[in-house]
Amino acid sequence: MLRSVLLSLLLSCSVSLGSSAVILDNGAPILWAQTFSQLSELPMLNGTVTPNPWNYLHRMSLIRLTIAATDTNMGFIGSSGTASPLWGLPLQLAWMLTSGRLADPTGASTCGVQTGDPMCISTQSWWGCVNYFSSVLPFLSAVQQGFMGAEVQVQLLLPEGEDFCATYADCAARFPDAMSKWDAFYQGLKALVDSPLPEGVKKDTLLGLYWAAQMATSAGSSACSTRQRHYSSAETSFANSWVSTAEYVAAAHFQSSLENSAMFIKNLPGRVLKSDDRAPNIADLSQEENHTLSIFSWMSTINNILGGSLVRMWKSAMCSVTTREKGREMLGQLLLNPSFATSSLLTIITETSRSC
């Protein structure tokens, strides 16, 4: 019964892929209602929680539990219940599912395929590999920092032959920078709740900690790079520009709430790109998807031409709460407003940096 429900939901999503990626169902990430809402609902063996992060529902459950465990501390971020920056994580995972990016790109198995096991996340998927770190590390750190209760033990299940970190200690040993920054994020969250700092400063501080953890995690997930060989040059180029664009988002301390994240993620390409796809002229993708791909490509190309100085200039300009606010507005214009002139970006960055 559950399988038929999941299949019908996924099929209904795929119908819309020509217009834009479907990431929400009744205001929540796709299949959110089918995930576990309590830690005790996850599989357990001899007192140790043993979820399978290569199953979509289990991986999404880890994120759901992390959001729920930390949400009571997020009052200074926003009062809506969907203001936490952690909401960007389930929406990214939902987009990867409905766009087919979690399926086996080699075609050697039916993992992630609607006619096979639609909830399977392929270990051969570059997207599934990168997302493993951004889903698992924040969850394990939240457990370690006591947000899930006292003395909770977690041992993630791994497919046979795969060598991903599966416990807090293992991940901390292999990716010490990323895990220490997630620990700092949660410790900062606890400290900021009762801090006398102005609400705006507290919010900006927490978002800075969040994006520091995200960027360290992205650096750690470079172990996934060999999986890019399974994709077309167009998809690989998009994947790389997707990673580099995070540099701009992170420096501006983007608040990846449910609403803010949905605005941008819904315009990402709703299917895996083929070798002959050339934005902005991909016929079966929407105008918004074509525009997003064009902007990602433009930003990556210009930064490469300038030897990486576009990113460096942007980071330098994002030097205060005020300039970061302007930076977020600029990113919104760049990605959501097709009439925004990309040629003016360097001028705006230069002018913004003068206030630093």
Side-chain angles (χ1 to χ4, degrees):
M1 178 64 181
L2 176 60
R3 179 180 174 82
S4 64
V5 171
L6 299 180
L7 280 170
S8 64
L9 278 169
L10 286 174
L11 287 170
S12 68
C13 293
S14 65
V15 171
S16 303
L17 292 183
S19 55
S20 62
V22 179
I23 55 175
L24 294 174
D25 179 31
N26 292 324
I30 290 293
L31 301 176
W32 189 258
Q34 306 297 329
T35 60
F36 302 115
S37 60
Q38 301 293 327
L39 192 67
S40 59
E41 295 173 352
L42 289 169
M44 189 169 292
L45 179 64
N46 299 325
T48 298
V49 182
T50 56
N52 174 14
W54 296 97
N55 173 280
Y56 174 84
L57 294 179
H58 281 220
R59 189 179 291 193
M60 186 66 89
S61 295
L62 301 185
I63 303 171
R64 179 177 180 176
L65 292 167
T66 304
I67 291 173
T70 55
D71 206 44
T72 55
N73 294 67
M74 293 282 182
F76 62 90
I77 287 287
S79 58
S80 66
T82 57
S84 168
L86 291 165
W87 276 105
L89 302 180
L91 291 186
Q92 278 193 1
L93 182 57
W95 164 70
M96 291 177 189
L97 176 78
T98 62
S99 66
R101 287 178 166 83
L102 299 180
D104 186 349
T106 70
S109 73
T110 58
C111 178
V113 179
Q114 292 174 13
T115 54
D117 183 357
M119 294 297 99
C120 175
I121 299 175
S122 173
T123 57
Q124 296 304 307
S125 164
W126 178 84
W127 297 95
C129 178
V130 168
N131 182 263
Y132 178 88
F133 295 97
S134 61
S135 299
V136 164
L137 266 59
F139 169 75
L140 292 174
S141 177
V143 171
Q144 181 70 16
Q145 295 303 317
F147 281 94
M148 307 286 177
E151 299 181 3
V152 175
Q153 299 297 316
V154 177
Q155 174 77 49
L156 301 172
L157 299 181
L158 298 177
E160 186 175 354
E162 294 296 335
D163 187 32
F164 289 86
C165 64
T167 64
Y168 173 86
D170 188 15
C171 291
R174 296 198 208 185
F175 309 100
D177 185 47
M179 194 59 87
S180 66
K181 283 184 169 59
W182 280 114
D183 289 345
F185 167 72
Y186 292 118
Q187 291 163 7
L189 177 59
K190 292 177 182 178
L192 286 167
V193 170
D194 298 318
S195 169
L197 291 171
E199 295 292 286
V201 176
K202 290 165 66 171
K203 178 178 176 178
D204 184 73
T205 299
L206 185 69
L207 292 173
L209 291 170
Y210 173 78
W211 283 108
Q214 279 280 45
M215 296 313 295
T217 301
S218 179
S221 62
S222 60
C224 304
S225 60
T226 57
R227 290 164 174 80
Q228 287 194 343
R229 69 181 184 273
H230 302 313
Y231 299 92
S232 69
S233 58
E235 180 72 6
T236 300
S237 178
F238 163 61
N240 292 334
S241 63
W242 179 78
V243 171
S244 62
T245 301
E247 297 271 10
Y248 301 90
V249 175
H253 293 186
F254 175 70
Q255 185 179 353
S256 47
S257 64
L258 179 66
E259 294 79 6
N260 290 344
S261 296
M263 257 195 317
F264 291 95
I265 294 176
K266 71 179 182 180
N267 293 334
L268 294 175
R271 63 164 174 78
V272 177
L273 300 179
K274 298 174 291 188
S275 57
D276 58 348
D277 284 329
R278 296 290 182 271
N281 301 307
I282 305 176
D284 65 335
L285 295 187
S286 69
Q287 180 182 354
E288 292 79 12
E289 289 167 292
N290 270 287
H291 174 69
T292 297
L293 284 170
S294 296
I295 292 299
F296 274 33
S297 176
W298 178 84
M299 293 173 74
S300 180
T301 300
I302 293 298
N303 187 57
N304 289 336
I305 290 174
L306 296 176
S309 63
L310 182 61
V311 169
R312 289 194 296 270
M313 288 168 61
W314 177 267
K315 289 182 177 180
S316 177
M318 299 297 104
C319 61
S320 69
V321 174
T322 302
T323 59
R324 286 191 285 272
E325 183 178 355
K326 291 179 179 177
R328 292 190 291 272
E329 293 174 359
M330 196 188 313
L331 287 174
Q333 287 292 314
L334 190 64
L335 291 168
L336 302 177
N337 181 6
S339 65
F340 182 80
T342 54
S343 59
S344 65
L345 183 64
L346 287 174
T347 301
I348 295 173
I349 293 175
T350 302
E351 291 175 351
T352 303
S353 64
R354 288 173 183 163
S355 62
C356 294

